[in-house]
Amino acid sequence: PTRVHKRHAVVKYMFYNPEDVRWFMPAGITTKHGLQGNIIQSVGDHGVMKCLFNAPIKQHDTVCLHLYKRVFPKFAPIGQKEEQGEEDSGHEQGAGIGGKHFQVL
């Protein structure tokens, strides 16, 4: 950050124009010291932005923007009654560990 005041910070050199700042505004930002924050607004014409963090930030902290999030699929076991009456058609079911079948929710 270039300027810091308690929980607010002005960050430079992350984006090149205000359109990029507005595009990534819904994404959360983090710091190397573990603080979480949000982009509040764009400042000027060169991609400078104001940010708000959950705790006071220090001048030497590094602001990061994660561009991906790992998402695991939700699996639920199929009941015994449904499994006995139906044949394994392969639709929305997959063989789990030990031959158990799971249904994707």
Side-chain angles (χ1 to χ4, degrees):
T2 56
R3 296 195 56 156
V4 173
H5 181 71
K6 296 184 181 180
R7 293 174 44 200
H8 294 270
V10 177
V11 179
K12 291 173 75 173
Y13 308 120
M14 188 176 278
F15 301 110
Y16 291 111
N17 52 31
E19 289 82 24
D20 292 341
V21 175
R22 283 193 295 273
W23 178 266
F24 288 103
M25 203 174 277
I29 53 177
T30 59
T31 65
K32 293 226 175 177
H33 288 271
L35 299 178
Q36 302 289 322
N38 292 317
I39 300 171
I40 298 174
Q41 67 180 357
S42 176
V43 178
D45 294 335
H46 301 289
V48 181
M49 62 183 176
K50 286 185 182 179
C51 303
L52 177 67
F53 293 93
N54 62 345
I57 185 172
K58 299 195 179 196
Q59 185 74 36
H60 62 82
D61 211 351
T62 305
V63 178
C64 304
L65 174 68
H66 296 289
L67 298 178
Y68 63 91
K69 181 178 179 182
R70 189 171 183 184
V71 178
F72 294 99
K74 297 179 183 178
F75 291 104
I78 297 176
Q80 295 294 331
K81 294 178 184 176
E82 294 176 1
E83 191 174 295
Q84 292 174 357
E86 297 177 0
E87 294 182 21
D88 189 18
S89 61
H91 298 294
E92 296 185 329
Q93 294 181 356
I97 299 173
K100 291 184 178 182
H101 297 285
F102 293 93
Q103 181 178 9
V104 178
L105 296 177

